[in-house]
């Protein structure tokens, strides 16, 4: 994980934010020990707060890994709420199921093995919150697939909006500022394409927050 915050600021944000429960701490330990990419507690807490602020009843994730982000958001859902986890790795999805069960959220979760961009076609809207955390060059496609299924007042959150291991921040910065940085890898270009799409959409208001590896939050106005 390439945290955009300095160590001291990261510690400050974590100290002020809500404390992860025992299961989340276990999940965090697993990610650090195994080098597994995850959003981290700063972004997890932000996701949960956004779910609360939007009174989310239904949430969809494009890419869930072993369920860390879903676990954070599930607590904000009502008892009859729904969060759809998608993952191409069967073992990771089973881990997510076990963690969600451990936290008491299994009844709110739907587990979908396979390509998230195919899975979304099987679900009708509206969704109140969406997390995009799949392959970077597919972020824009994910947004297009879910845009009309997002309720007014809902949010789309894109992880890795600033950095990630395979991305080149200097080239990403040049792209979002309208410059030509030369050769750009597909991950960096994918994020730039996504940001251009959501910031140009008149029905959405978008900001980027320097938490974790950066998140872009797009609020649907109408």
């Amino acid at each position: 994980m390439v945290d955009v915050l300095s160590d001291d600021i990261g510690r400050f944000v974590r100290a002020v934010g809500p404390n992860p429960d025992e299961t989340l701490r276990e999940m965090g330990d697993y990610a650090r020990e195994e080098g597994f990419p995850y959003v981290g507690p700063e972004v997890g807490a932000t996701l949960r707060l956004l779910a609360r602020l939007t009174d989310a009843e239904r949430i969809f994730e494009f890419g869930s890994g072993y369920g860390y982000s879903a676990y954070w958001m599930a607590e904000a859902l009502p008892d009859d709420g729904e969060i759809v986890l998608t993952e191409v790795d069967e073992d990771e999805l089973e881990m997510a199921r076990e963690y969600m069960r451990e936290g008491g959220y299994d009844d709110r979760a739907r587990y979908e093995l396979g390509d998230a961009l195919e899975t979304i076609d099987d679900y009708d809207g509206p969704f109140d919150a969406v997390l995009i955390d799949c392959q970077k060059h597919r972020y824009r496609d994910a947004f297009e697939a879910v845009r009309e299924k997002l309720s007014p007042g809902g949010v789309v959150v894109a992880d890795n909006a600033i950095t990630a291991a395979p991305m080149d921040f200097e080239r990403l910065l040049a792209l979002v500022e309208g410059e030509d940085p030369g050769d750009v890898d597909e991950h960096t270009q994918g994020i730039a394409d996504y940001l251009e799409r959501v910031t140009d959409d008149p029905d959405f208001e978008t900001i980027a927050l320097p938490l974790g590896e950066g998140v872009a939050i797009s609020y649907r106005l109408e």
Side-chain angles (χ1 to χ4, degrees):
M1 180 174 176
V2 186
D3 200 322
V4 299
L5 299 176
S6 68
D7 290 343
D8 287 346
I9 298 299
R11 287 169 52 197
F12 182 87
V13 172
R14 288 189 292 275
V16 172
N19 291 321
D21 67 15
E22 183 177 347
T23 301
L24 280 171
R25 289 195 293 272
E26 179 183 339
M27 296 173 82
D29 289 343
Y30 170 81
R32 288 185 291 273
E33 291 168 3
E34 299 296 326
F36 193 96
Y38 76 130
V39 300
E42 301 94 332
V43 173
T46 301
L47 291 171
R48 189 170 72 188
L49 180 61
L50 289 170
R52 294 195 195 283
L53 291 173
T54 57
D55 293 322
E57 296 182 0
R58 299 184 74 213
I59 299 172
F60 189 94
E61 290 194 324
F62 287 88
S64 297
Y66 68 117
Y68 186 85
S69 55
Y71 189 103
W72 271 103
M73 291 188 283
E75 185 180 343
L77 288 170
D79 291 341
D80 61 348
E82 176 185 67
I83 181 166
V84 182
L85 290 77
T86 65
E87 179 54 48
V88 296
D89 187 299
E90 187 172 3
D91 290 339
E92 289 176 19
L93 193 63
E94 184 56 34
M95 286 181 63
R97 187 190 300 273
E98 293 173 2
Y99 282 127
M100 296 291 276
R101 185 182 298 123
E102 184 177 320
Y105 305 128
D106 188 50
D107 60 337
R108 308 173 195 184
R110 304 291 176 266
Y111 306 96
E112 297 285 358
L113 179 64
D115 190 329
L117 271 79
E118 296 177 3
T119 300
I120 188 62
D121 290 338
D122 297 331
Y123 282 83
D124 295 326
F127 289 101
D128 308 297
V130 173
L131 174 64
I132 301 178
D133 194 10
C134 54
Q135 296 163 303
K136 309 305 171 241
H137 66 279
R138 304 181 78 194
Y139 270 34
R140 180 169 180 156
D141 291 339
F143 176 75
E144 299 292 1
V146 81
R147 183 188 184 283
E148 297 304 319
K149 298 182 180 185
L150 187 74
S151 59
V155 294
V156 177
V157 182
D159 191 34
N160 304 120
I162 296 177
T163 188
M167 289 167 53
D168 186 320
F169 175 72
E170 294 301 325
R171 284 180 165 78
L172 177 62
L173 177 60
L175 286 168
V176 299
E177 290 185 336
E179 300 175 2
D180 181 4
D183 291 337
V184 179
D185 64 84
E186 67 174 354
H187 312 287
T188 304
Q189 186 65 58
I191 295 297
D193 290 344
Y194 173 82
L195 293 173
E196 179 182 34
R197 174 66 180 89
V198 294
T199 55
D200 285 349
D201 194 316
D203 292 337
F204 285 80
E205 183 172 328
T206 298
I207 64 167
L209 294 183
L211 295 172
E213 295 182 318
V215 291
I217 302 171
S218 301
Y219 174 85
R220 180 156 195 173
L221 301 169
E222 58 182 53

